[in-house]
Amino acid sequence: MRLQAVLGAIGRQVLELLAVLGRFVLFATDTVSHMVRPPFFFREFGVALFQIGWLSLPVVGLTAIFTGGVLALQIYAGGARLNAEAVVPQIVAIGIVRELGPVFVGLMIAARVTSSIAAELATMKVTEQIDALTTLSTHPIKYLTVPRVAAGLITVPILVGVGDVIGILGGYLVSTQTLGFSQIGYLNNTYDFLELRDVLSSLVKGCAFGGIATLIGCYFGQNSGRGAQGVGRATKGAVAAAAVLILAINFALTSIFFAL
């Protein structure tokens, strides 16, 4: 009987997870279909561009520059054991552009944007503002989700590109000012080592992370429970789901771009 109870509990959790995944897929499909059909709410789109893109730039810049600096220090310390200190520019560049830049920006967006969207939309649901939109014949996905997802798809790749440049700059500053690297030599090694595939993979990851972060925030916000606890659970669940999916998608995209 105890074994049956355990298996039953596991089965219920699996079924609940599959139900959530199914609802999310339907929500994502509905969002994509509304993105290509009028009407378009350009004012909401502009507000989302500002909030997701411009207001995220300071935290992205600070994260990237310190990441690049720390990466340069760690690579230099590790390379010194093998007399390979000269590889610092190359590894900083490829580490930032291929992996650390997109992933850190994606996680910062999940922490800042996904939580904000989920909390905002969950509060709108609790206060019945979403029901009011439906009463006014305005589709909630068209008005609330599509502008935010479209803004995420556009702005996050730009943030990733900016983060890559700032991260490489952080490694450059530490290497040239602290570790004794030549300024011209460092820049030449960075430029010669990076390939177009590295940059494209970084931007594609940024687009995927931006879409998933905003989509999850909208989904959890519009499907939150009632009351203050519902808002809190929606926000917490959105951030956790976005972070896990960003890491999983990063692994999948890295396998696609750099499979041997």
Side-chain angles (χ1 to χ4, degrees):
M1 296 297 293
R2 170 178 268 181
L3 179 60
Q4 291 180 349
V6 172
L7 293 177
I10 295 175
R12 285 191 295 273
Q13 293 296 322
V14 171
L15 290 176
E16 183 178 348
L17 176 61
L18 292 176
V20 171
L21 289 176
R23 289 193 294 269
F24 178 74
V25 170
L26 292 176
F27 183 83
T29 303
D30 202 11
T31 300
V32 172
S33 68
H34 279 287
M35 290 182 73
V36 296
R37 290 183 291 159
F40 304 106
F41 296 94
F42 291 105
R43 182 181 179 278
E44 294 298 316
F45 175 67
V47 172
L49 282 177
F50 178 76
Q51 292 179 342
I52 296 173
W54 180 255
L55 295 182
S56 298
L57 190 57
V59 67
V60 167
L62 290 172
T63 301
I65 196 166
F66 287 121
T67 300
V70 169
L71 186 61
L73 289 173
Q74 292 287 9
I75 293 171
Y76 184 85
R81 301 177 183 179
L82 303 173
N83 294 321
E85 301 93 332
V87 300
V88 170
Q90 294 92 330
I91 299 182
V92 167
I94 196 171
I96 290 291
V97 174
R98 283 190 180 185
E99 293 298 326
L100 295 181
V103 170
F104 278 11
V105 171
L107 293 177
M108 289 300 103
I109 293 299
R112 183 188 176 278
V113 174
T114 304
S115 60
S116 174
I117 292 175
E120 180 183 2
L121 298 189
T123 303
M124 291 181 68
K125 182 175 181 179
V126 169
T127 56
E128 299 183 348
Q129 295 180 54
I130 294 180
D131 295 336
L133 287 175
T134 304
T135 303
L136 295 172
S137 299
T138 301
H139 201 294
I141 290 181
K142 172 70 73 174
Y143 186 78
L144 298 174
T145 303
V146 170
R148 290 168 171 81
V149 174
L153 291 171
I154 293 173
T155 58
V156 176
I158 297 174
L159 290 173
V160 167
V162 173
D164 291 344
V165 173
I166 296 177
I168 292 175
L169 175 62
Y172 166 82
L173 292 175
V174 170
S175 298
T176 56
Q177 302 300 318
T178 304
L179 304 179
F181 280 80
S182 166
Q183 297 180 1
I184 300 300
Y186 189 99
L187 293 177
N188 288 336
N189 287 331
T190 299
Y191 178 79
D192 293 338
F193 194 73
L194 284 177
E195 299 177 354
L196 179 61
R197 181 177 60 169
D198 301 327
V199 178
L200 289 178
S201 70
S202 185
L203 298 180
V204 170
K205 286 181 179 182
C207 185
F209 297 165
I212 200 67
T214 50
L215 190 62
I216 286 180
C218 293
Y219 172 78
F220 276 85
Q222 294 188 46
N223 292 277
S224 68
R226 297 291 181 177
Q229 289 185 345
V231 175
R233 283 195 296 266
T235 305
K236 180 176 63 177
V239 174
V244 171
L245 277 179
I246 283 172
L247 295 175
I249 292 172
N250 177 68
F251 174 79
L253 292 176
T254 299
S255 301
I256 293 171
F257 275 101
F258 303 105
L260 297 178

